[in-house]
Amino acid sequence: MTTKDFTIKWLAYALALLPVWFINAFLLSGLPFWGVIPMLLPLCAVAVATLEGATAGAGFGLAVGVLYDAVTLEGLPGAMTFLMALLGLGTGLLAQYVLRQDLVGCLICSALALAAIDVMRIGTRLLNGAAPLEAMALVAGKEILWSLCFVPFIYLLFRWVFRRVPKATVL
């Protein structure tokens, strides 16, 4: 793959990320359903990791984590950057070697990634004594279910990009 092809590919993924971020930040944040707002940025990292594999998933997860940390002011600074890179790596490996690289695989990886994020968030809040575990688990469950409703749309968007960007050629 040439440098030009590589640049075009990742620029296309970044451009596909922007409308998802805009919808999450400006449309859905003002319309909570079940009292929660979905997390769409992690789903983008999982979709790319499912399609591209572990290395690309980790890189895109890192970029998504930087964006997430830049636009949200929750938790430890930089924690989501690190976590999203790990989730991109993990879901890429899972999709490459255990699951299929399709919508069902993306849905399973998305559920696992959202659960991992919420376990981290609940754990830090439990240490701070912010709220009881049952209340936080209920909110996390609603957030995960509401976020998973968007997986088919996000997966189809990134699959559309995946099919149209240059691929590495193997000789």
Side-chain angles (χ1 to χ4, degrees), residues 43-65:
L43 301 178
C44 295
V46 170
V48 171
T50 301
L51 293 166
E52 291 282 347
T55 306
F60 194 72
L62 181 73
V64 169

Side-chain angles (χ1 to χ4, degrees), residues 142-162:
K142 289 178 182 180
E143 182 181 60
I144 290 170
L145 288 175
W146 181 219
S147 298
L148 288 176
C149 293
F150 294 92
V151 169
F153 306 109
I154 291 172
Y155 176 78
L156 290 174
L157 171 68
F158 283 100
R159 190 182 74 177
W160 179 80
V161 172
F162 175 75

Side-chain angles (χ1 to χ4, degrees), residues 93-130:
L93 287 171
L94 194 61
Q96 266 182 302
Y97 298 112
V98 178
L99 302 170
R100 295 181 59 187
Q101 292 176 293
D102 61 0
L103 178 59
V104 174
C106 185
L107 190 62
I108 293 168
C109 289
S110 295
L112 293 172
L114 292 171
I117 291 169
D118 278 335
V119 163
M120 184 193 77
R121 291 163 80 188
I122 288 172
T124 57
R125 289 185 176 120
L126 276 176
L127 292 175
N128 295 333

